[in-house]
Every structure is written in structure tokens, then in C-alpha cells.
């Protein structure tokens, strides 16, 4: 099993969720986060004063999938989150050794 952590632009969340639902992904965790990469933030005007916004709003998705579904999920996330502009996001893939569903005690593939 693999865990995909995807950092994407907030307005792309619905597109990514719908694309993953089409594949049969049944659950994900979504967290509102702030951060920056090469984008380095941007400047804004507030009451006539210019100031730097270092951390930009993003959304972090955490999804655990079987090894067989990994490539399809990555492709769907990249395709649906892509705008072609700086700050589109990143995906981080990690190995998952064990998953347990608390309610039933099911483990691994049955638990996701």
C-alpha cells in the first residue's frame, strides 16, 4: 500500500476529488495548509500599504491506495490539479506497512 500526500491549489480540490472517485477511491483526508515553494509568496495591498504574503493557502490531500491503483491515482491527481502555472503543487508517495480500521479491526487492503 502507498500513501499519497498531494499539496494542491484549493480551487482544484473538487476536480481532484471527482477524478479519484471515478477510480473508486473511497476516502481521503483533506487539510487546509499554508506554504510556499519556488513561488515565494506574493505582495498585496492593504489600506494603501504593500506587504508580503509569504505563505500561500493550499490544500493537502492524504490518500492510501493499493499498489495496483497508485499509478492511476497519481495520473488523475496530476491531470486534474494541473493549471500550468507556478504553485500547482507536489505529490509525495510513501510506503504504508499496515492499516487497521478501528471500528471493525479489519487490516490492510480491507481497511482502506
Amino acid at each position: 500500500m502507498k500513501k499519497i500526500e498531494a499539496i494542491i491549489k484549493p480551487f482544484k480540490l473538487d476536480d481532484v476529488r471527482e477524478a479519484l472517485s471515478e477510480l473508486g477511491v473511497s476516502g481521503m483526508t483533506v487539510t487546509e495548509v499554508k506554504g510556499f515553494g519556488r513561488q515565494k509568496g506574493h505582495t498585496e495591498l492593504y489600506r494603501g500599504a504593500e506587504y508580503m504574503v509569504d505563505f500561500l493557502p493550499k490544500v493537502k490531500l492524504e490518500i492510501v491506495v493499493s499498489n495496483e491503483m497508485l499509478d492511476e491515482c497519481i495520473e488523475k491527481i496530476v491531470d486534474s490539479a494541473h493549471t500550468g502555472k507556478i504553485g500547482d503543487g507536489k505529490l509525495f508517495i510513501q510506503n504504508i506497512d499496515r492499516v487497521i480500521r478501528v471500528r471493525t479491526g479489519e487490516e490492510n487492503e480491507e481497511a482502506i
Side-chain angles (χ1 to χ4, degrees), residues 5-67:
E5 284 186 18
I7 311 293
I8 61 171
K9 292 183 175 184
F11 70 91
K12 286 299 205 171
L13 176 59
D14 286 336
D15 294 341
V16 172
R17 184 185 50 78
E18 288 172 17
L20 290 173
S21 291
E22 290 172 6
L23 284 180
V25 173
S26 59
M28 67 178 68
T29 301
V30 178
T31 310
E32 291 181 9
V33 296
K34 292 184 179 189
F36 71 91
R38 290 187 185 158
Q39 200 171 359
K40 304 275 195 282
H42 64 276
T43 57
E44 287 190 6
L45 278 175
Y46 179 71
R47 295 187 178 186
E50 191 173 280
Y51 67 99
M52 186 69 179
V53 176
D54 293 328
F55 295 99
L56 301 173
K58 301 289 181 181
V59 173
K60 178 167 85 168
L61 306 175
E62 296 175 87
I63 308 145
V64 177
V65 297
S66 65
N67 292 336

